[in-house]
Amino acid sequence: MTTTLYGIRNCDTMKKARTWLDGHAVEYRFHDYKIEGVDRAHLSGWCAALGWETVLNRAGTTFRKLTDAEKQGLNAEKAIALMLANPSMIKRPILDRDGALTAGFRPEIYDTLFGK
């Protein structure tokens, strides 16, 4: 099974997810948006599978700093464009287990996903 964890290294939620995976001896590849970027194909796929509303991190400071005009009329295309320009606006983490996607981190969900 191939597992990839997408996010930003210094995010507190990412640190919790990585600590959980490491502590449960789960092999995974870490993909840092800030270093490796994220392409439209991945982002569009995540939005199609999870919903753009789930993938867009509205709680973060990057989103909150947008002007009202930038936030106005949000739809999938506009959200994807914003996330491509500002990867910090992507929900963290995105966990990809052989194409099965999970957004965010909660230990009980990871317990279920990995049978721990």
Side-chain angles (χ1 to χ4, degrees), residues 94-115:
I94 299 289
L95 179 72
D96 182 339
R97 297 178 61 236
D98 287 334
L101 301 171
T102 304
F105 171 74
R106 291 194 9 232
E108 59 274 15
I109 292 174
Y110 276 39
D111 287 342
T112 300
L113 289 173
F114 292 99

Side-chain angles (χ1 to χ4, degrees):
M1 173 175 295
T2 303
T3 301
T4 305
L5 188 70
Y6 294 88
I8 297 170
R9 185 168 306 281
N10 292 327
C11 168
D12 289 339
T13 304
M14 287 300 305
K15 289 176 186 176
K16 291 175 189 174
R18 293 177 75 202
T19 297
W20 189 99
L21 292 169
D22 293 340
H24 290 84
V26 174
E27 289 187 34
Y28 65 96
R29 178 174 119 49
F30 176 59
H31 179 107
D32 190 327
Y33 303 141
K34 295 271 186 167
I35 296 169
E36 299 178 65
V38 63
D39 59 36
R40 180 174 289 277
H42 273 93
L43 207 45
S44 295
W46 297 343
C47 290
L50 300 168
W52 68 265
E53 298 91 343
T54 298
V55 178
L56 179 64
N57 179 14
R58 295 176 194 235
T61 56
T62 305
F63 183 82
R64 291 194 312 257
K65 287 181 182 178
L66 292 176
T67 66
D68 288 340
E70 290 171 311
K71 294 177 190 176
Q72 193 72 10
L74 273 178
N75 59 28
E77 248 340 280
K78 187 170 182 180
I80 289 169
L82 285 170
M83 290 184 280
L84 285 170
N86 304 286
S88 295
M89 282 192 230
I90 303 170
K91 177 83 170 176
R92 299 179 298 270
I94 299 289
L95 179 72
D96 182 339
R97 297 178 61 236
D98 287 334
L101 301 171
T102 304
F105 171 74
R106 291 194 9 232
E108 59 274 15
I109 292 174
Y110 276 39
D111 287 342
T112 300
L113 289 173
F114 292 99
K116 303 292 179 179

